[in-house]
Amino acid sequence: GATPDLGNHFLPLKCDACEQIFCTDHIAYAQHDCTSAYKKDVQVPVCPLCNTPVPVRRGEMPDVVVGEHIDRDCKSDPAQRKRKIFTNKCLKPGCKQKEMMKVICDQCHKNYCLKHRHPLDHDCSGAGHPLSKAG
């Protein structure tokens, strides 16, 4: 699916050498006359949301790589909230199904796809014994 553009051009990136914040145009050591660049061989931009260094391979654009990290791997609240808009992923191990809306089990309160939403279909941890709730 199409990912909304977060305005990656204005993504604040933290220089891993001097720890100042720059836009993508000025994150390169040379672009901001970095005083700490001598400590580093390879520049590693730091994610502005979770403060994790995001390695950039030679020839890759730091803002694109950090943007992909935010879309896929970032553990920060805003990034995870952004991802949840699109991906109500089934929590059953091995299932890759994603639904447009949340399908919450009313016993363990976890999200599943339509196929695995019933307690018997996902090793439900909620009610203990879903079968014994008759009556």
Side-chain angles (χ1 to χ4, degrees):
T3 316
D5 186 14
L6 276 180
N8 280 346
H9 307 292
F10 305 107
L11 200 59
L13 302 168
K14 190 195 284 186
C15 176
D16 62 322
C18 67
E19 310 228 312
Q20 301 295 309
I21 300 284
F22 298 96
C23 70
T24 183
D25 292 337
H26 297 112
I27 187 64
Y29 298 143
Q31 297 297 331
H32 64 265
D33 297 321
C34 184
T35 52
S36 308
Y38 66 91
K39 301 178 196 165
K40 304 280 183 178
D41 289 332
V42 179
Q43 183 162 22
V44 180
V46 176
C47 175
L49 297 177
C50 68
N51 282 317
T52 302
V54 182
V56 178
R57 284 190 281 282
R58 193 176 294 285
E60 288 181 324
M61 300 291 296
D63 59 321
V64 172
V65 175
V66 171
E68 284 174 358
H69 157 82
I70 289 172
D71 287 341
R72 280 206 297 265
D73 307 318
C74 186
K75 301 287 186 271
S76 72
D77 282 350
Q80 290 188 333
R81 271 203 303 277
K82 177 180 165 287
R83 279 199 298 272
K84 277 199 179 79
I85 296 170
F86 299 99
T87 58
N88 291 302
K89 189 176 173 311
C90 179
L91 290 174
K92 183 175 171 70
C95 183
K96 300 271 189 289
Q97 185 63 38
K98 294 174 181 164
E99 300 292 349
M100 293 294 289
M101 71 284 181
K102 283 192 177 341
V103 183
I104 302 289
C105 170
D106 52 9
Q107 293 179 11
C108 66
H109 306 291
K110 291 184 179 150
N111 193 68
Y112 295 96
C113 69
L114 292 170
K115 199 168 95 187
H116 296 126
R117 71 185 185 278
H118 295 295
L120 290 174
D121 294 326
H122 64 251
D123 300 324
C124 187
S125 60
H129 302 290
L131 286 179
S132 64
K133 279 193 69 175

